[in-house]
């Protein structure tokens, strides 16, 4: 008998509630929790496929240890693994002091996991070297809130989206990165004809398509734009002088700065029409309620804190904060980046939003933990942490649930740092991330559906999630691993407080201790318990003892979390990006996210249908820039700067500004033979938040000069997971090629697709080796074509009348139509010969391109185009094909197709 277990989606900070359907300790499916206030039953294409990732074959299931770097890791038991870890850490701490070790953890961890990591580092070992991948994502939002409002506390709720009359979306693309928030924006648009939406993004993103005004500013010029908006608000008398006088300080100094930010001046910096700047300011200033939503576009900048502050100023200057539908609302990237911050999961923080630099806060924490003191010396934030490792100052690092060998900027430096560390521990659910290659000890952790604990989403809402299935193999919960290690380490360090510091028997014990540290603080949750969260559902903080509910909106009384209760204006000025373009590196490279992938793809990269919209790594350029580079869409380009080179396919994209290139951040060495976009990004950081500028780097781009292509498409059998062993084998080939990528495609019988290119042709012997890897070598049914003169060689395998494998070398035109027809089994015997024709043009009847657009309803582009050609509107398409009626993530794409169809008709 199946039962349903309440949980949340483990991907983004929207924090959607889920019901996991379980039978006999196996997950049958997931659906949105209709009672969860974050999503009311809705899920996006990633959330709705979560159950398809719940296969343990490709998980890390046992501790693995290597005695020397040159040796392979061997399976060991937990005792040996943790004794070894405790021994190495103790020895290094004794020799070099507590700051010679570090912990680099993750916004994917649960709050309880985070809490014990912090207590281990700051309470037991005596180092503040514990930082997290939230540093790459939210630390400028934290610093921006603290500089202006006094506390790291987003003042708004999702409900404010429906109540706003003006919505500014800056440096965020919720249509793909926070799709369920975007559903709320679409609902607000439909319900409120007065609503004005302004999207600020160098790229005409999926979100920009819904905007009344798209401000396609030059990368890195956000402060100038926000100052310009404030200039217009001042000039037109749209600021609230009474609010400024009663509830803020520092406005006079900012007003002086703002005086030079005229629309003409800002237009020159941002590359925007003056009138658009004025129009956006008027909409914001005249609106009954103005709300801003923002994310990595503001945060991942060498002046990210001031990007945030400059936007928050607009709200403070107009009194558009602390009331329904208004306020600066930072969208959280990771599912529990907020929970991590609550327990002090950054090198400069301690539990309950306490600051490490504040001696009173340090004393409070020492008292709460029962230790003599907590360390005063600042810990190292992510970029500096890896730099210190490379310099030899940090000798042992414990990495949990994150993948710095892909996600950190300037990969060459980060990898050199990991290589130079004496001892690297990786605590992970997946064993094949890029970071795994550097780990001396790998510790298997439980994952999403196996864990119990709490998470906090973007709107300060805490959800108690429960384990739906048992822990597989020898995996342990993250908090359990930390506590076991802490006890062993404390014993070796002869710390008599160890047992007292880590007395926990379950996650709830940790939650209860964390709760006590928040008493009287801005995020006081002393009124919450697991039992209350179970009976009353997810709650927003603060929720002090004796409260009847959480607080939906902060600062309604105009009293801020500063010493004098006043919000602060900061005199912020425009600053250039850390790296400027030049003749040698003329393109601004910006990075972003795709609808169907998440972070480094360790989870989404196992689901074939999540590749159907965006199949492989690409870099997008404006068509004019592409032409000027001598390239055409589909060509391979070498993208370079002094930090590295990435070979990747180019794509023409009119949504970009001239001079900009855009690349998704998801692809790393598991899916292509380079470190991906972060081979090119730089480690310049914001001075207040230490967040690196992942959103901008100067690059050059030229044709790769790899004229000899190779493609393999291979079916591996029925079912979602049948292709994964073959995917692993394909990975092992990538290093042989100048360019290579692997991916999946399809639905019921997924394909593995391997693409590669070389300057010269491989020999027949080398091709046979490739064929052998994909099981194409010996089959007697093979149909072949070879033209030695033109260096073309093709091989196709037919099983039971169906095409099950193809290798194309030297000429690969058929790839584009083969993947569809192999997936759909639409090639009958008469058409199979086309596969090995000298030139792989598609048979006439397969000319129609047919990628999947709606993942949930399995609707292809061809089906949609067919219906659209009959003039069907979105609602009719939804009615007929059911596309866009499940998670809704494809709705922006369908709308774009409809508008493209209309434009084509007009032309
Ligand atoms: Fe998960 Fe999508 Fe909800 Fe984010 S918006 S939490 S990825 S279902």
């Amino acid at each position: 008998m199946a039962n349903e277990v309440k949980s949340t989606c483990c991907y983004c900070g929207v924090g959607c509630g889920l019901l996991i359907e379980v039978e006999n300790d196996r997950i049958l499916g997931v659906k949105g929790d209709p009672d969860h206030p974050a999503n009311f039953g809705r899920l996006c294409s990633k959330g709705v496929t979560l159950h398809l990732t719940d296969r343990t074959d490709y998980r890390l299931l046992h501790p693995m240890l290597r005695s020397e770097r040159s040796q392979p890791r061997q399976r060991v038991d937990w005792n040996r693994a943790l004794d070894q870890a405790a021994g190495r850490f103790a020895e290094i701490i004794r020799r070099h002091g507590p700051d010679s070790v570090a912990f680099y953890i993750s916004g994917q961890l649960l709050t309880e996991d985070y809490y014990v990591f912090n207590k281990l580092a700051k309470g037991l070992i005596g180092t503040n070297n514990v930082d997290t991948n939230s540093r790459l994502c939210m630390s400028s939002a934290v610093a921006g809130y603290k500089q202006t409002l006094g506390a790291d506390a987003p003042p708004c709720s999702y409900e404010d989206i429906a109540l706003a009359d003006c919505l500014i979306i800056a440096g965020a693309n919720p249509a793909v990165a926070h799709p369920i928030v975007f559903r709320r924006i679409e609902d607000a648009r439909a319900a409120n004809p007065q609503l004005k939406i302004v999207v600020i993004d160098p790229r005409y993103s999926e979100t920009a398509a819904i905007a009344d005004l798209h401000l396609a500013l030059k990368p890195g010029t956000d402060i100038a734009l926000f100052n310009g908006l404030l200039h217009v608000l001042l000039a037109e008398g749209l600021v609230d002088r009474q609010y400024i006088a009663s509830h803020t300080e520092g406005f006079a100094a900012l007003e002086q700065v703002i005086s030079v930010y005229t629309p003409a001046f800002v237009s020159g910096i941002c590359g925007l029409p003056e009138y658009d700047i004025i129009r956006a300011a008027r909409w914001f200033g005249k609106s009954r309620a103005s709300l801003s939503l923002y994310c990595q576009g503001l945060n991942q900048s060498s002046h990210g804190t001031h990007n945030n502050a400059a936007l928050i100023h607009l709200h403070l200057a107009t009194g558009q904060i602390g009331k329904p539908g208004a306020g600066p609302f930072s969208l959280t990237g990771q599912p529990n980046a907020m929970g991590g911050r609550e327990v002090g999961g950054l090198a400069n923080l301690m539990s309950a939003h306490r600051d490490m630099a504040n001696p009173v806060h340090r004393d409070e924490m020492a008292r709460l933990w029962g230790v003599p003191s907590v360390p005063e010396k600042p810990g190292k934030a992510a970029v500096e942490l890896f730099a210190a490792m490379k310099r030899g100052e940090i000798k042992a690092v414990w990495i949990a649930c994150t993948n710095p060998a892909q996600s950190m900027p300037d990969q060459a430096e980060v990898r050199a740092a990991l290589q130079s560390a004496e001892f690297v521990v990786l605590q992970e659910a997946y064993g094949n991330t890029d970071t795994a290659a550097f780990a001396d000890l790998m510790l298997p952790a439980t994952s999403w559906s196996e864990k119990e604990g709490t998470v906090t989403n973007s709107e300060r809402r805490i959800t108690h999630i429960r384990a739906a299935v048992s822990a597989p193999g020898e995996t342990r919960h993250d908090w359990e691993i930390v506590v076991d290690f802490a006890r062993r380490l404390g014993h070796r360090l002869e710390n008599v407080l160890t047992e007292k510091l880590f007395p926990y028997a379950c996650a709830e014990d940790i939650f209860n201790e964390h709760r006590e540290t928040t008493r009287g603080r801005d995020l006081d949750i002393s009124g919450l318990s697991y039992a209350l969260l179970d009976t009353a559902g997810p709650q927003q903080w603060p929720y002090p003892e004796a409260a009847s509910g959480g607080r939906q909106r902060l600062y309604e009384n105009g009293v801020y979390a500063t010493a004098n209760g006043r919000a602060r204006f900061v005199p912020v000025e425009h600053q250039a990006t850390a790296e400027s373009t030049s003749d040698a590196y003329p393109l601004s490279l910006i990075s972003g996210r795709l609808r169907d992938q998440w972070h480094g793809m360790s989870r989404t990269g196992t689901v074939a249908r999540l590749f159907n919209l965006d199949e492989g790594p690409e870099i997008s350029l404006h068509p004019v820039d592409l032409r000027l580079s001598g390239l055409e869409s589909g060509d391979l380009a070498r993208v370079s700067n002094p930090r590295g080179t990435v070979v990747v396919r180019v794509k023409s994209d009119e949504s970009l500004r001239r001079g900009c290139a855009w690349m998704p951040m998801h692809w790393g060495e598991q899916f292509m033979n380079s470190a991906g976009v972060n081979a090119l990004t730089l480690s310049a950081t914001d001075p207040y938040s230490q967040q690196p500028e992942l959103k901008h780097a100067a690059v050059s781009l030229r044709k790769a000069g790899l004229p000899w292509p190779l493609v393999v498409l291979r079916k591996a059998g029925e079912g979602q997971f049948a292709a994964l062993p073959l995917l692993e084998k394909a990975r092992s080939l990538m290093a042989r090629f100048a360019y290579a990528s692997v991916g999946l495609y399809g639905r019921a019988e997924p394909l593995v697709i391997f693409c590669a290119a070389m300057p010269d042709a491989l020999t027949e012997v080398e091709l046979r080796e490739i064929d052998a890897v994909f099981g194409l070598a010996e089959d007697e049914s093979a149909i072949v074509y070879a033209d030695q003169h033109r260096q073309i060689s093709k091989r196709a395998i037919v099983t039971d009348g169906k095409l099950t494998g193809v290798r194309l070398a030297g000429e690969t035109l058929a790839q584009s139509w083969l993947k569809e027809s192999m997936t759909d089994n639409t090639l009958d015997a008469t058409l199979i010969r086309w596969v090995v024709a000298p030139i792989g043009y598609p048979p006439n009847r397969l000319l129609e391109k047919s990628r999947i657009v709606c993942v949930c309803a399995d609707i292809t582009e061809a089906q949609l185009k067919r219906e659209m050609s009959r003039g069907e509107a979105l609602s009719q398409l939804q009615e007929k094909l059911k596309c866009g009626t499940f998670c809704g993530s494809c709705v922006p794409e369908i709308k774009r197709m409809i508008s493209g169809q209309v434009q084509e008709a007009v032309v």
Side-chain angles (χ1 to χ4, degrees):
M1 174 82 177
N3 66 317
E4 288 181 339
V5 180
K6 279 180 184 275
S7 185
T8 57
C9 171
C10 61
Y11 289 122
C12 85
V14 180
C16 297
L18 284 175
L19 297 174
I20 308 177
E21 199 186 348
V22 185
E23 191 172 70
N24 297 330
D25 211 23
R26 293 211 57 179
I27 294 178
L28 303 180
V30 292
K31 58 185 180 192
D33 180 352
D35 299 326
H36 199 291
N39 57 319
F40 294 112
R42 289 166 153 177
L43 292 177
C44 78
S45 56
K46 292 186 282 283
V48 86
T49 51
L50 253 174
H51 60 293
L52 299 177
T53 68
D54 189 59
R55 175 83 175 220
T56 55
D57 313 29
Y58 303 98
R59 290 273 299 279
L60 176 64
L61 294 174
H62 312 283
M64 304 286 289
L65 174 70
R66 66 182 170 201
S67 45
E68 285 178 44
R69 283 276 157 87
S70 56
Q71 300 298 314
R73 283 184 292 259
Q74 306 282 345
R75 181 173 164 179
V76 292
D77 64 24
W78 273 105
N79 260 332
R80 168 115 190 263
L82 290 180
D83 275 343
Q84 176 77 7
R88 294 296 302 272
F89 266 66
E91 178 222 326
I92 288 169
I93 290 166
R94 264 196 300 270
R95 266 196 292 132
H96 304 285
D99 288 331
S100 60
V101 301
F103 297 85
Y104 186 63
I105 58 179
S106 166
Q108 307 270 317
L109 292 169
L110 305 185
T111 303
E112 291 77 358
D113 303 326
Y114 248 117
Y115 184 87
V116 289
F117 262 117
N118 272 280
K119 198 172 186 186
L120 164 65
K122 296 165 184 171
L124 178 75
I125 297 175
T127 179
N128 287 322
N129 286 343
V130 52
D131 214 50
T132 150
N133 60 12
S134 300
R135 181 72 65 185
L136 313 182
C137 153
M138 300 311 300
S139 56
S140 288
V142 174
Y145 275 138
K146 287 173 80 170
Q147 271 195 2
T148 53
L149 309 183
D152 171 21
C156 312
S157 291
Y158 293 144
E159 278 190 29
D160 286 315
I161 294 170
L163 302 172
D165 271 351
C166 175
L167 198 52
I168 288 202
I169 305 171
N173 186 9
V176 304
H178 298 96
I180 299 306
V181 163
F182 193 69
R183 298 287 88 75
R184 288 180 184 258
I185 296 169
E186 288 176 322
D187 291 347
R189 156 116 292 167
N192 178 7
Q194 307 304 320
L195 176 65
K196 295 289 186 204
I197 301 179
V198 181
V199 170
I200 299 169
D201 193 322
R203 191 171 155 250
Y204 185 77
S205 65
E206 294 81 350
T207 300
I210 203 174
D212 299 285
L213 177 61
H214 172 219
L215 298 176
L217 78 180
K218 288 182 191 162
T221 61
D222 307 80
I223 296 174
L225 175 59
F226 298 140
N227 280 1
L229 297 178
L230 187 51
H231 181 101
V232 177
L233 292 170
L234 277 159
E236 302 205 353
L238 295 172
V239 296
D240 185 339
R241 293 275 178 193
Q242 197 178 344
Y243 192 89
I244 293 168
S246 306
H247 303 295
T248 72
E249 62 184 8
F251 191 66
L254 177 63
E255 204 171 350
Q256 273 198 336
V257 169
I258 294 297
S259 62
V260 300
Y261 285 83
T262 62
F265 178 65
V266 172
S267 168
I269 296 173
C270 301
L272 294 169
E274 284 178 52
Y275 181 68
D276 281 349
I277 298 165
I278 295 166
R279 198 150 54 125
R282 284 179 183 160
W283 285 351
F284 187 93
K286 291 181 179 175
S287 150
R288 188 184 45 82
S290 291
L291 183 73
S292 56
L293 301 172
Y294 50 99
C295 199
Q296 313 304 4
L298 298 196
N299 298 341
Q300 291 179 334
S301 157
S302 57
H303 43 266
T305 302
H306 282 181
N307 286 343
N308 277 260
L311 178 55
I312 293 169
H313 290 162
L314 302 180
H315 292 276
L316 291 172
T318 53
Q320 293 281 12
I321 183 168
K323 63 180 192 178
F329 193 177
S330 150
L331 295 173
T332 311
Q334 300 194 77
N336 198 33
M338 182 89 79
R341 283 138 64 185
E342 287 160 19
V343 298
L346 289 168
N348 53 317
L349 299 178
M350 284 183 300
S351 290
H353 289 174
R354 289 178 177 86
D355 279 317
M356 195 53 77
N358 184 328
V360 176
H361 288 180
R362 289 200 302 275
D363 285 348
E364 283 173 4
M365 275 322 296
R367 210 167 36 251
L368 282 161
W369 280 346
V371 295
S373 63
V374 289
E376 182 181 351
K377 187 176 165 194
K380 298 210 180 321
V383 169
E384 178 53 17
L385 189 155
F386 284 93
M389 202 183 300
K390 187 164 174 242
R391 293 195 299 270
E393 294 165 21
I394 289 176
K395 297 175 188 302
V397 63
W398 189 298
I399 299 165
C401 200
T402 184
N403 187 12
Q406 181 177 346
S407 56
M408 288 286 294
D410 198 355
Q411 274 298 309
E413 288 293 298
V414 169
R415 288 164 180 231
L418 286 165
Q419 198 63 45
S420 64
E422 286 181 24
F423 190 55
V424 177
V425 180
L426 179 61
Q427 180 172 323
E428 249 296 354
Y430 293 90
N432 63 351
T433 66
D434 289 354
T435 304
F438 300 91
D440 300 298
L441 174 64
M442 291 179 66
L443 301 173
T446 48
S447 183
W448 164 67
S449 56
E450 301 139 12
K451 299 179 72 165
E452 183 186 28
T454 52
V455 293
T456 312
N457 72 2
S458 293
E459 60 166 2
R460 296 172 279 107
R461 190 176 296 281
I462 298 174
T463 302
H464 175 214
I465 66 170
R466 301 138 180 101
V469 290
S470 311
E474 292 183 83
T475 59
R476 285 186 179 182
H477 301 314
D478 288 286
W479 71 264
E480 281 180 322
I481 299 171
V482 177
V483 167
D484 194 344
F485 169 74
R487 289 173 182 158
R488 290 169 200 250
L489 179 68
H491 176 70
R492 280 180 166 73
L493 295 174
E494 295 171 7
N495 186 324
V496 292
L497 295 173
T498 305
E499 290 303 321
K500 205 173 128 236
L501 280 172
F502 296 94
Y504 320 111
C506 60
E508 188 172 8
D509 290 347
I510 303 168
F511 177 85
N512 291 343
E513 182 177 310
H514 155 55
R515 180 180 63 188
E516 284 312 302
T517 71
T518 70
R519 198 175 282 277
R521 304 281 306 156
D522 69 298
L523 73 167
D524 190 333
I525 56 165
S526 51
L528 286 184
S529 64
Y530 276 15
L532 187 138
L533 290 168
D534 290 346
T535 51
Q539 300 295 323
Q540 288 175 285
W541 58 253
Y543 197 120
E545 196 166 13
S548 56
R551 192 155 333 137
Q552 192 180 22
R553 212 163 280 112
L554 305 181
Y555 314 128
E556 284 172 308
N557 57 1
V559 177
Y560 289 88
T562 53
N564 62 6
R566 285 174 176 269
R568 292 182 289 246
F569 288 101
V570 187
V572 295
E573 291 269 21
H574 165 68
Q575 296 165 59
T577 50
E579 191 166 71
S580 301
T581 53
S582 62
D583 288 348
Y585 303 105
L587 287 170
S588 284
L589 175 65
I590 49 181
S591 62
R593 284 143 206 267
L594 296 171
R595 190 190 81 183
D596 293 345
Q597 294 294 345
W598 175 254
H599 279 190
M601 300 162 68
S602 53
R603 186 184 288 276
T604 50
T606 63
V607 182
R609 66 166 82 169
L610 294 180
F611 286 82
N612 289 353
L613 193 60
D614 298 283
E615 188 189 317
E618 287 176 324
I619 189 166
S620 305
L621 276 91
H622 190 277
V624 174
D625 289 326
L626 206 56
R627 257 197 317 279
L628 291 176
S629 305
L631 290 157
E632 287 179 19
S633 233
D635 283 349
L636 285 172
R638 204 173 290 277
V639 190
S640 305
N641 64 19
R643 290 174 293 281
T645 294
V646 175
V647 178
V648 64
R649 221 167 274 290
V650 295
K651 180 179 168 186
S652 175
D653 186 350
E654 285 187 349
S655 70
L656 281 160
R657 282 182 67 92
R658 290 281 318 276
C660 286
W662 185 85
M663 196 169 162
M665 48 83 81
H666 306 294
W667 271 264
E669 274 187 355
Q670 297 305 306
F671 292 91
M672 67 190 294
N673 63 347
S674 82
V677 71
N678 286 327
L680 303 162
T681 50
L682 68 163
S683 55
T685 56
D686 176 276
Y688 307 100
S689 68
Q690 278 79 49
Q691 180 157 355
E693 185 154 282
L694 287 160
K695 279 287 182 193
H696 183 265
V699 296
S700 66
L701 185 137
R702 64 187 167 85
K703 202 161 186 157
L706 301 171
W708 190 85
L710 178 137
V711 169
V712 181
L713 301 99
R714 184 62 160 129
K715 277 190 182 178
E718 284 201 19
Q720 168 63 30
F721 296 100
L724 296 184
L726 192 55
L727 187 70
E728 269 318 303
K729 288 188 191 170
R731 279 189 178 123
S732 67
L733 292 174
M734 288 199 294
R736 292 188 187 191
F737 292 89
Y739 164 79
S741 68
V742 291
L744 300 169
Y745 193 83
R747 297 172 288 276
E749 288 182 277
L751 287 174
V752 171
I753 303 183
F754 179 77
C755 301
M758 292 291 275
D760 300 302
L762 295 189
T763 64
E764 270 302 315
V765 173
E766 288 168 321
L767 284 174
R768 297 300 281 172
E769 285 172 18
I770 309 273
D771 291 343
V773 169
F774 290 97
L776 300 171
E778 303 303 331
D779 199 300
E780 287 175 2
S781 73
I783 309 167
V784 296
Y785 169 83
D787 179 341
Q788 281 187 0
H789 179 65
R790 291 169 59 221
Q791 297 180 316
I792 294 173
S793 168
K794 302 185 179 184
R795 188 177 182 84
I797 300 290
V798 179
T799 312
D800 298 331
K802 290 180 190 170
L803 188 64
T804 54
V806 176
R807 189 258 299 145
L808 308 171
E811 196 287 315
T812 58
L813 206 60
Q815 181 201 349
S816 59
W817 56 271
L818 262 178
K819 62 180 196 287
E820 300 299 342
S821 36
M822 283 178 76
T823 303
D824 297 341
N825 292 320
T826 48
L827 281 184
D828 59 29
T830 60
L831 290 180
I832 285 175
R833 66 186 168 81
W834 285 79
V835 176
V836 290
I839 299 178
Y841 293 128
N844 275 344
R845 76 168 104 140
L846 294 177
L847 270 173
E848 203 173 33
K849 193 167 179 287
S850 191
R851 71 192 165 98
I852 301 289
V853 175
C854 176
V855 173
C856 310
D858 210 16
I859 301 299
T860 64
E861 186 175 27
Q863 285 171 282
L864 284 165
K865 281 193 167 165
R866 227 178 355 256
E867 299 302 328
M868 286 174 193
S869 67
R870 297 179 191 127
E872 304 283 39
L874 175 64
S875 57
Q876 291 160 312
L877 293 170
Q878 288 177 313
E879 172 80 27
K880 197 164 176 180
L881 302 176
K882 301 291 174 237
C883 54
T885 59
F886 295 88
C887 78
S889 304
C890 61
V891 170
E893 173 79 7
I894 298 172
K895 283 183 180 167
R896 209 173 24 247
M897 286 175 65
I898 292 171
S899 86
Q901 199 101 348
V902 171
Q903 277 167 20
E904 274 173 32
V906 170
V907 172

